[in-house]
Amino acid sequence: MNQLILGNTPCKVTALRCEYLANPLGIDATSPRFTWQLADIRQGAKQKAYQISVNTDSMALSKGTGNEWNSGQKNTSQTLVSYQGKSLQAFTKYFWRVKIWDKDGQIVQSEIATFETGMMNMGNWQGAWISDSRDVNIKPAPYFRKAFQTNKQIVSARAYIAVAGLYELYINGEKISNHRLDPMYTRFDRRTLYVTHDVTKQLQTGKNAIGVLLGNGWYNHQSTAVWYFHEAPWRGRPTFCMDIRVKYTDGTSEVIASGKDWKTALSPIIFNSIYTAEHYDARLEQADWNKANFDDKNWKDVIFRTAPSNNIVAQALQPIRNVEEISSKSLNKINDTTFVFDLGRNISGVSKIKVSGKAGTILRLKHAERLYPNGRADLSNIDVHYRPTDDKDPFQTDIITLSGRGEESFMPHFNYKGFQYVEVTSSEPIELKKESLSGYFMHSDVPAVGKVNTSNPTINKIWTATNNAYLSNLFGYPTDCPQREKNGWTGDAHIASETGLYNFDGITIYEKWLADHRDEQQTNGVLPSIIPTDGWGYEWGNGPDWTSTIAIIPWNIYLFYGDTKILSDNYENLKRYVNHIESISPNGLTTWGLGDWVPVKSKTPVELTSSAYYFVDVTILAKTAKLFDKTADFEKYSTLAEKIKTAFNNKYFNKTTGIYGSGFQTELSVPLYWGLVPEEFKAKVANNLAKRVEADNNHLDVGLLGTKAILNALSENGYADVAYKIASQETFPSWGWWIANGATTLFENWPIDAKSDISMNHIMFGEIGAWLYKGIGGIKPDVTQAGFKNIILAPNFVENLNAFEASHDSPQGKIISSWKREGKKIVYNITIPANATATVILNVKLNQHIQKQYLVEEKNTSPTHKQLKINTLTSGSYQFEIQ
């Protein structure tokens, strides 16, 4: 479908999304959100007005009719609009388009986009919850099948499948979709997700067969570790409910549903654990089990099961996929039965092996992040929390029994791991070559929206490693590591949330995870430290320094997308959380929390960091209350924020010296970054922080919470050069030290030879990925016009860096901030997307200036530097020469 342009304009309407997804299937939102962008490179390009039309008939819509909703012409530049038409009906395909008026008043019509509703209401399910057993101790994964026949011609067919556990769906032998590990992990007894698939092409007139393979996932956790997931209150043998809705050319329809007419048998997956690995016996394969002519007379009847929860809702988020295939970089053959493959980089995901051997030959594929000196796989840094009861479930070790029927291949169905190396051991001699094993980088397949490139190769590698660590820890919820835990640690996630948002379009994942927060919050407001949880984490690891996710992530989503929904959805939860902290902290300070986790050497008081995050939470609550015109709440929480700030400074701040606490890096940077320092003392505290860094040989001396603050505190207060010195270090302790020692992801601890806390794929120190955009590129959202409607461009032309470029695909379009040195001159190029404006703030030396055509406000910021502020540039590309 080609875009219709009415009039002579180079403007196009692009990137149509519904609920932040392209043409989504099976959504339950009653007022789905529409978003779009303008592709228009003209200076000053903007949208003067829009009109949205929605219809169930694409032909009628193409003629301009919106029978379900016609918004009428709205004279606004807004590109985020919620549906306000007739009540949406379940199982219905809707067509929509947007017409805009460009800067010259010319009309531009978009292509037609679609969205399709799902169940919308629990009462619309017709299928039954079925399984093969109630016994949680049965190890093999179950097959299910149903054969049926239709003599009519099919127009469309949709499969709606809800699962407690994990599933793979097959129709007539074909696997449906390339999703992995569906549905996403939730608190199963409080919210269960269903997934919608278009299966029109797979069904056929005549005989058909549906096949379902179920895995345990987090629902039936058979491995034992310190978090007691094997004792989860929801635990059960995997079960599912499915409706396949078929529409025929004669106007009739039919629902093929899960029920007692299905059959079940055990599969060749003789064990599967989301935490450890998968075991497969190829001798047990049943050829064509998911095809219509298969004889299932020896299969058993299914049993009915209770639904895991009373809240079955659509999974409307970017799915997990095998995003990237990675060939083995090398193979070390130790002997005829032992081989070690090296992928050359650390990933989350699975391996796939192709091998031939005698029937009954047993292969063990041990997945590791590092090797022993003898070249064998070393799991000692990642198996520390595993508590096996026997030797039948080795950590991160797939076990395959060959069928002996020629070349065989195996890739786990219901598991993922964190690894770089795969050690293959065989019970019989086999032949393997480098090409025999590949890795698949698995994660939530969020679109990339950011790019950084600099003249410093180490910085470039840090940025790449940070993104690899972020993606390795995104599986429908943000995790801490893909091997040792796979837990949704709250502190790690809010620290890394800006890094994620600058680099990836992750709103659908965060909205789902904040719903998990609402499921897990206790009535008194307390949140656990890991989310989702089986109940672990309410007693340890939580507190405002960690569980500020309930405030910080919704606020960051609002800043990046300009969307208030996530703030609205979590507003009362944030209030309950803040009210709880207030109830246990009457003096305004709190000791509830973990503190500056895994510091280099200096330890900051827990009360200092937790009270700072308490202040952050209350401040965000007050700002949100103001946004929603909740005047009483705004006044109440603004007063509380001031009380916390006063108590904090009374206890920890020495006004004479300008020092917080003992003057450690975390103690100075946390209050500076989070707004606790009184305005008149900011310069003094920042100067003290810079001196402290210099005393620490321009290296880090922080833990997790300090890492979030230090680079930003320096670059936002006139010391970007000092921040860059820290960021670009290549000796211990630094990000570059990891890179110098071969890291392709971020580590969990600063020393690479630490005795504990030494996962080699952690995201918790990942703030540097966001800081590159903010602290050097200067790309920041404007809180007064969220969603990058107005962009703050405040680059820092740091010493010892010759070139820098960052781009970010914002809701308005691509923002570019790029600078390079040309002799004594700095050339700064920016691109402001259509429908946006920008405020440019240049931090330069006192003797530097820019071209005279720009109206500039000058302000001295230090004895050596000044700030040049250029207000409200319209969209387009600009070049500044600073000399």
PDB file of all heavy atoms in Angstrom, residues 18 66 115 176 289 292 404 496 562 752 773 824 877:
ATOM      1  N   CYS A  18       0.855   0.447  16.867  1.00  0.00           N
ATOM      2  CA  CYS A  18      -0.269   0.351  17.797  1.00  0.00           C
ATOM      3  C   CYS A  18       0.231  -0.375  19.039  1.00  0.00           C
ATOM      4  O   CYS A  18       0.764  -1.489  18.921  1.00  0.00           O
ATOM      5  CB  CYS A  18      -1.424  -0.400  17.155  1.00  0.00           C
ATOM      6  SG  CYS A  18      -2.838  -0.639  18.249  1.00  0.00           S
ATOM      7  N   GLY A  66     -14.049   6.249   8.359  1.00  0.00           N
ATOM      8  CA  GLY A  66     -13.687   5.620   9.616  1.00  0.00           C
ATOM      9  C   GLY A  66     -14.930   5.276  10.402  1.00  0.00           C
ATOM     10  O   GLY A  66     -15.412   6.093  11.188  1.00  0.00           O
ATOM     11  N   PHE A 115      -4.410  -3.424  13.489  1.00  0.00           N
ATOM     12  CA  PHE A 115      -4.250  -4.096  14.781  1.00  0.00           C
ATOM     13  C   PHE A 115      -5.428  -5.045  14.920  1.00  0.00           C
ATOM     14  O   PHE A 115      -6.481  -4.853  14.306  1.00  0.00           O
ATOM     15  CB  PHE A 115      -4.181  -3.104  15.946  1.00  0.00           C
ATOM     16  CG  PHE A 115      -5.450  -2.351  16.241  1.00  0.00           C
ATOM     17  CD1 PHE A 115      -6.372  -2.810  17.174  1.00  0.00           C
ATOM     18  CD2 PHE A 115      -5.717  -1.154  15.577  1.00  0.00           C
ATOM     19  CE1 PHE A 115      -7.537  -2.107  17.451  1.00  0.00           C
ATOM     20  CE2 PHE A 115      -6.878  -0.441  15.840  1.00  0.00           C
ATOM     21  CZ  PHE A 115      -7.789  -0.907  16.776  1.00  0.00           C
ATOM     22  N   ILE A 176       4.988 -23.133  14.584  1.00  0.00           N
ATOM     23  CA  ILE A 176       4.360 -21.826  14.414  1.00  0.00           C
ATOM     24  C   ILE A 176       5.211 -20.757  15.096  1.00  0.00           C
ATOM     25  O   ILE A 176       5.469 -20.826  16.296  1.00  0.00           O
ATOM     26  CB  ILE A 176       2.934 -21.819  15.005  1.00  0.00           C
ATOM     27  CG1 ILE A 176       2.085 -22.925  14.362  1.00  0.00           C
ATOM     28  CG2 ILE A 176       2.293 -20.452  14.834  1.00  0.00           C
ATOM     29  CD1 ILE A 176       1.951 -22.826  12.865  1.00  0.00           C
ATOM     30  N   TRP A 289       4.674 -36.847  14.743  1.00  0.00           N
ATOM     31  CA  TRP A 289       3.710 -36.844  15.851  1.00  0.00           C
ATOM     32  C   TRP A 289       2.709 -35.690  15.746  1.00  0.00           C
ATOM     33  O   TRP A 289       1.605 -35.771  16.302  1.00  0.00           O
ATOM     34  CB  TRP A 289       4.437 -36.766  17.202  1.00  0.00           C
ATOM     35  CG  TRP A 289       5.118 -35.423  17.428  1.00  0.00           C
ATOM     36  CD1 TRP A 289       6.361 -35.064  17.028  1.00  0.00           C
ATOM     37  CD2 TRP A 289       4.562 -34.293  18.094  1.00  0.00           C
ATOM     38  NE1 TRP A 289       6.631 -33.766  17.396  1.00  0.00           N
ATOM     39  CE2 TRP A 289       5.541 -33.275  18.060  1.00  0.00           C
ATOM     40  CE3 TRP A 289       3.336 -34.023  18.720  1.00  0.00           C
ATOM     41  CZ2 TRP A 289       5.339 -32.008  18.616  1.00  0.00           C
ATOM     42  CZ3 TRP A 289       3.128 -32.770  19.286  1.00  0.00           C
ATOM     43  CH2 TRP A 289       4.120 -31.774  19.230  1.00  0.00           C
ATOM     44  N   ALA A 292      -1.336 -35.023  10.600  1.00  0.00           N
ATOM     45  CA  ALA A 292      -2.705 -35.560  10.650  1.00  0.00           C
ATOM     46  C   ALA A 292      -2.761 -37.078  10.587  1.00  0.00           C
ATOM     47  O   ALA A 292      -3.612 -37.705  11.226  1.00  0.00           O
ATOM     48  CB  ALA A 292      -3.528 -34.958   9.512  1.00  0.00           C
ATOM     49  N   GLY A 404      21.441 -42.653  16.448  1.00  0.00           N
ATOM     50  CA  GLY A 404      22.225 -43.451  15.510  1.00  0.00           C
ATOM     51  C   GLY A 404      21.713 -43.406  14.087  1.00  0.00           C
ATOM     52  O   GLY A 404      22.194 -44.152  13.230  1.00  0.00           O
ATOM     53  N   ALA A 496      20.243   0.387  34.941  1.00  0.00           N
ATOM     54  CA  ALA A 496      20.523   0.213  33.510  1.00  0.00           C
ATOM     55  C   ALA A 496      19.387   0.683  32.608  1.00  0.00           C
ATOM     56  O   ALA A 496      19.502   0.571  31.386  1.00  0.00           O
ATOM     57  CB  ALA A 496      20.813  -1.254  33.226  1.00  0.00           C
ATOM     58  N   GLY A 562       7.220  10.208  26.280  1.00  0.00           N
ATOM     59  CA  GLY A 562       6.155  11.187  26.439  1.00  0.00           C
ATOM     60  C   GLY A 562       4.814  10.550  26.729  1.00  0.00           C
ATOM     61  O   GLY A 562       3.758  11.164  26.533  1.00  0.00           O
ATOM     62  N   ILE A 752      39.004  -8.717  37.941  1.00  0.00           N
ATOM     63  CA  ILE A 752      38.672  -9.858  37.095  1.00  0.00           C
ATOM     64  C   ILE A 752      39.017 -11.184  37.761  1.00  0.00           C
ATOM     65  O   ILE A 752      38.590 -12.243  37.298  1.00  0.00           O
ATOM     66  CB  ILE A 752      39.376  -9.755  35.724  1.00  0.00           C
ATOM     67  CG1 ILE A 752      40.898  -9.710  35.902  1.00  0.00           C
ATOM     68  CG2 ILE A 752      38.881  -8.540  34.949  1.00  0.00           C
ATOM     69  CD1 ILE A 752      41.663  -9.739  34.601  1.00  0.00           C
ATOM     70  N   TYR A 773      25.688   8.908  25.716  1.00  0.00           N
ATOM     71  CA  TYR A 773      24.699   9.764  25.049  1.00  0.00           C
ATOM     72  C   TYR A 773      24.548  11.097  25.777  1.00  0.00           C
ATOM     73  O   TYR A 773      24.448  12.150  25.141  1.00  0.00           O
ATOM     74  CB  TYR A 773      23.330   9.074  25.005  1.00  0.00           C
ATOM     75  CG  TYR A 773      23.267   7.889  24.072  1.00  0.00           C
ATOM     76  CD1 TYR A 773      23.597   6.613  24.519  1.00  0.00           C
ATOM     77  CD2 TYR A 773      22.865   8.033  22.754  1.00  0.00           C
ATOM     78  CE1 TYR A 773      23.526   5.515  23.668  1.00  0.00           C
ATOM     79  CE2 TYR A 773      22.791   6.944  21.895  1.00  0.00           C
ATOM     80  CZ  TYR A 773      23.131   5.689  22.360  1.00  0.00           C
ATOM     81  OH  TYR A 773      23.070   4.608  21.516  1.00  0.00           O
ATOM     82  N   LYS A 824      42.413  23.407  15.632  1.00  0.00           N
ATOM     83  CA  LYS A 824      41.975  24.048  16.883  1.00  0.00           C
ATOM     84  C   LYS A 824      40.476  24.290  16.896  1.00  0.00           C
ATOM     85  O   LYS A 824      39.931  24.811  17.874  1.00  0.00           O
ATOM     86  CB  LYS A 824      42.717  25.375  17.052  1.00  0.00           C
ATOM     87  CG  LYS A 824      44.219  25.216  17.267  1.00  0.00           C
ATOM     88  CD  LYS A 824      44.880  26.553  17.522  1.00  0.00           C
ATOM     89  CE  LYS A 824      46.385  26.377  17.776  1.00  0.00           C
ATOM     90  NZ  LYS A 824      47.054  27.688  18.034  1.00  0.00           N
ATOM     91  N   SER A 877      18.880  20.103  10.066  1.00  0.00           N
ATOM     92  CA  SER A 877      20.285  19.839  10.354  1.00  0.00           C
ATOM     93  C   SER A 877      21.039  21.156  10.462  1.00  0.00           C
ATOM     94  O   SER A 877      20.805  22.089   9.679  1.00  0.00           O
ATOM     95  CB  SER A 877      20.902  18.966   9.257  1.00  0.00           C
ATOM     96  OG  SER A 877      20.296  17.691   9.247  1.00  0.00           O
TER      97      SER A 877
END
